[in-house]
Amino acid sequence: MAVTAPLSKIKTAAPARPRPKPGANLAFWAFVAPSLIGLIVFTLVPIGWGFLLSLSHAQNTIHPGHYVGLRNYTDMLTDEAFLRSLVTMVLYSLFIVPLTWGMSLGLALLVDKAGWGKSFWRTVFFIPSAVSYVVASLIWRISLFNGLSFGFANHLLAPFGIHPIAWVGTVDPPWYWLVLVTVRLWLQVGFYMIIFIAGLQEIPKSLYEAAAVDGAAPGWQTLRYITLPQLRNTSFSVLMLNLIAAFQAFDEFYNILGGGGQSAGNASLARPPLVYLYSTALGDQDFGRGAAGAFILTALICAVTLIPGKLFGLGRADK
């Protein structure tokens, strides 16, 4: 009579772990080490050095010296010029973020539905993303909105009897906002359009087919009940990336309002935090306060991007 052991007591051999190939570790570190060294030398060390500067009285020196604690942070948070720059940043974000979201989504819908030439239109709208912000800002200031009668914008308005407008130097109404917003829109709408097109191509066609069977009319109904909900995570990503980019605005403000020529001296009209910190650190040579302002700005960016993502479940799987 054969005796069988309980299944729980039967020991099965553990699967053999694959042995690493000879030289695999060496190849791994050979590829990873350059990036890791670059991250440490060019990112982590400067961040740590900047933090030490923010706690020091670093006037005319980039070496942490006299320790002052959090005084640089309190000075920046009570500095009216720095607070005005934060207000400028918020106003700029209120203009640029919703406009970029709406225009890039609209372009993505049009290009995705185009019957022919999709690649052509994608390329046409994406090309401005490859242009330097400095170059585009100079073209906007010198050519399109130079304030002279032969400037492009004034030339278009002349047939309507409108006198030449000093776009950059006019405070009431503040036409310089139009210059700043349009150059940023031209530069980045095509980039976010590509992200939305990728999101549109991930939406299952079966959803639209089922909606058509249920009687949903193509157009606004499918856009509202299928397309926009399916683009929820993509929209949040675009909004957050846009918000971060708006908070880091520098080139267009510096080159349009603070550059040389006729616009020189207009920097005080709208100065975002990075331009103010640039003048504080490199203009006044106060690297301690400049570093403290940079860390305050970083904390604000983290707060306005991470908190909404947590509240609205960005990246969370749809149920």
Side-chain angles (χ1 to χ4, degrees):
M1 181 177 177
V3 178
T4 58
L7 292 176
S8 58
K9 295 187 177 180
I10 298 178
K11 295 183 179 179
T12 56
R17 298 178 60 183
R19 293 183 178 179
K21 296 181 180 179
N25 289 334
L26 180 61
F28 172 78
W29 287 111
F31 282 104
V32 170
S35 299
L36 187 61
I37 293 173
L39 176 68
I40 294 173
V41 173
F42 298 109
T43 302
L44 299 182
V45 170
I47 289 175
W49 195 267
F51 182 68
L52 293 177
L53 283 177
S54 70
L55 301 176
S56 305
H57 177 66
Q59 184 78 43
N60 298 320
T61 178
I62 59 171
H63 298 286
H66 180 57
Y67 179 71
V68 295
L70 299 178
R71 194 179 72 188
N72 287 328
Y73 288 90
T74 57
D75 286 348
M76 293 303 292
L77 290 174
T78 55
D79 185 348
E80 292 186 2
F82 182 65
L83 297 179
R84 280 199 302 272
S85 71
L86 294 179
V87 173
T88 299
M89 178 185 65
V90 173
L91 290 175
Y92 184 64
S93 302
L94 291 177
F95 280 119
I96 202 69
V97 173
L99 282 175
T100 301
W101 179 85
M103 293 180 68
S104 55
L105 175 60
L107 280 178
L109 292 171
L110 290 175
V111 172
D112 191 58
K113 295 295 183 184
W116 59 273
K118 287 185 180 181
S119 300
F120 172 77
W121 293 116
R122 280 199 298 261
T123 305
V124 166
F125 290 119
F126 183 74
I127 282 178
S129 303
V131 177
S132 163
Y133 273 56
V134 175
V135 173
S137 300
L138 293 177
I139 292 174
W140 248 248
R141 192 191 77 189
I142 296 173
S143 180
L144 302 184
F145 295 95
N146 58 14
L148 302 176
S149 58
F150 55 81
F152 182 76
N154 285 332
H155 189 71
L156 291 179
L157 296 176
F160 300 98
I162 300 176
H163 295 290
I165 298 174
W167 298 98
V168 174
T170 303
V171 178
D172 187 19
W175 289 114
Y176 55 85
W177 280 114
L178 178 66
V179 184
L180 295 168
V181 170
T182 52
V183 66
R184 175 61 76 103
L185 286 175
W186 184 77
L187 284 166
Q188 68 181 14
V189 162
F191 174 77
Y192 294 112
M193 177 201 71
I194 295 296
I195 296 178
F196 272 121
I197 288 177
L200 288 171
Q201 292 177 350
E202 291 297 320
I203 300 176
K205 302 299 181 187
S206 58
L207 292 178
Y208 294 102
E209 294 169 358
V213 171
D214 291 339
W220 170 245
Q221 283 189 328
T222 54
L223 176 67
R224 179 181 178 186
Y225 294 108
I226 297 177
T227 305
L228 291 180
Q230 292 294 316
L231 290 176
R232 174 174 168 270
N233 285 339
T234 305
S235 294
F236 268 111
S237 300
V238 168
L239 289 173
M240 293 301 104
L241 290 174
N242 227 320
L243 198 59
I244 294 172
F247 277 33
Q248 295 175 338
F250 177 85
D251 291 316
E252 62 267 48
F253 284 88
Y254 183 80
N255 290 288
I256 291 177
L257 297 181
Q262 294 180 342
S263 63
N266 293 321
S268 59
L269 296 179
R271 187 163 52 177
L274 282 189
V275 175
Y276 177 71
L277 296 177
Y278 176 83
S279 64
T280 300
L282 298 181
D284 302 336
Q285 295 289 301
D286 193 343
F287 296 101
R289 293 178 70 243
F295 277 99
I296 293 172
L297 181 62
T298 303
L300 287 175
I301 292 175
C302 292
V304 299
T305 52
L306 295 180
I307 293 176
K310 191 71 175 177
L311 291 177
F312 296 101
L314 176 62
R316 198 178 299 163
D318 295 332
K319 297 180 179 179

